Amino acid sequence: MNTIEALATKNQQRGWEIIEESSIYAIWESIGAEVFLVGSLPNGLMMKKRDIDVHVYTESVNITDSFTAITRLAEKIDIYELEYRNLLDTEEECVEWHATFYDVNRKLWKFDIIHIRKGSLFDGHVERVTGRIKELLTPKNRRTILQLKYDTPETEQIMGIEYYKAVIQDGVQTYEELIEWRKENPANRMIEWKP
């Protein structure tokens, strides 16, 4: 197994363990939320960036309930930094939580938790995109995505969806091609992409 595949496998396995250890499903379900794992972990595309993306849906977004769930999560994991964004008055109708934490091995991880009102504009969108990406993954384009993520410098911020669109839709193969591709494909439009 090469270095890239070994790192991806290791982080993937650890990510699933963290899902179990954190009780994240039970915590959010305790406030009446439906919980969905999206992004790189369910699609086997986690590489160097150890972020776990979670979408939770409730009929309405109650700030007190959301804070209650985060408090319970903080009792289960060693949160180092917590960011809260209230976007309820935007078209996204959500609250964002970005919890950076240490795992049992003292490695930094991050939960990106989006608490969304059911029936809002983007209800289910990312879940459908995640499922479609999984359907379109081949061993070849998966290796390409992992290689691109591996080749990306730590200082460069590239969203996972950018890699997926660049490779799956537009056939990008190298980091240099990705940099050029990004010039024509602004990140702020990625939320609209449907593979």
Side-chain angles (χ1 to χ4, degrees):
M1 183 182 299
N2 67 32
T3 303
I4 292 169
E5 190 63 42
L7 179 59
T9 298
K10 179 182 172 185
N11 284 340
Q12 197 78 20
Q13 289 171 342
R14 187 69 194 110
W16 287 112
E17 291 167 2
I18 287 168
I19 293 294
E20 290 299 316
E21 292 165 8
S22 67
S23 302
I24 194 162
Y25 277 82
I27 286 168
W28 284 95
E29 288 168 352
S30 75
I31 66 156
E34 289 183 69
V35 182
F36 298 92
L37 197 59
V38 296
S40 64
L41 184 58
N43 281 339
L45 295 169
M46 186 172 283
M47 177 42 66
K48 296 186 296 187
K49 193 175 174 188
R50 294 184 297 267
D51 289 1
I52 299 173
D53 300 304
V54 181
H55 283 193
V56 297
Y57 291 87
T58 51
E59 292 297 333
S60 62
V61 178
N62 180 294
I63 300 297
T64 301
D65 288 346
S66 204
F67 270 90
T68 297
I70 285 297
T71 301
R72 290 177 183 156
L73 184 63
E75 293 169 352
K76 297 290 284 183
I77 61 174
D78 184 13
I79 293 181
Y80 169 74
E81 183 176 83
L82 184 64
E83 180 182 354
Y84 162 77
R85 291 186 193 150
N86 184 332
L87 303 174
L88 291 173
D89 290 335
T90 71
E91 65 180 2
E92 297 177 46
E93 295 185 61
C94 70
V95 167
E96 291 185 4
W97 293 101
H98 304 282
T100 304
F101 62 96
Y102 288 101
D103 73 357
V104 294
N105 303 313
R106 300 307 293 165
K107 298 270 190 190
L108 272 176
W109 285 75
K110 186 176 178 188
F111 270 125
D112 291 319
I113 304 165
I114 314 300
H115 184 178
I116 307 164
R117 185 186 68 78
K118 284 184 185 178
S120 60
L121 180 63
F122 294 109
D123 184 344
H125 173 74
V126 175
E127 291 79 2
R128 287 187 293 275
V129 169
T130 297
R132 185 68 179 136
I133 288 167
K134 191 170 197 169
E135 291 171 7
L136 295 172
L137 275 180
T138 65
K140 183 177 186 290
N141 62 25
R142 180 179 180 272
R143 277 192 307 275
T144 301
I145 290 166
L146 292 176
Q147 182 72 55
L148 290 172
K149 287 184 170 188
Y150 186 81
D151 292 343
T152 300
E154 300 289 336
T155 54
E156 189 69 36
Q157 295 298 314
I158 300 177
M159 295 184 300
I161 195 80
E162 294 180 81
Y163 295 106
Y164 312 149
K165 182 178 181 185
V167 173
I168 293 170
Q169 177 180 293
D170 296 328
V172 167
Q173 296 293 307
T174 67
Y175 183 69
E176 293 72 25
E177 290 176 4
L178 178 65
I179 297 307
E180 288 304 309
W181 179 89
R182 290 184 80 216
K183 292 176 183 175
E184 302 297 321
N185 293 273
N188 64 346
R189 300 296 306 270
M190 289 299 132
I191 188 69
E192 300 167 9
W193 181 56
K194 297 176 185 175

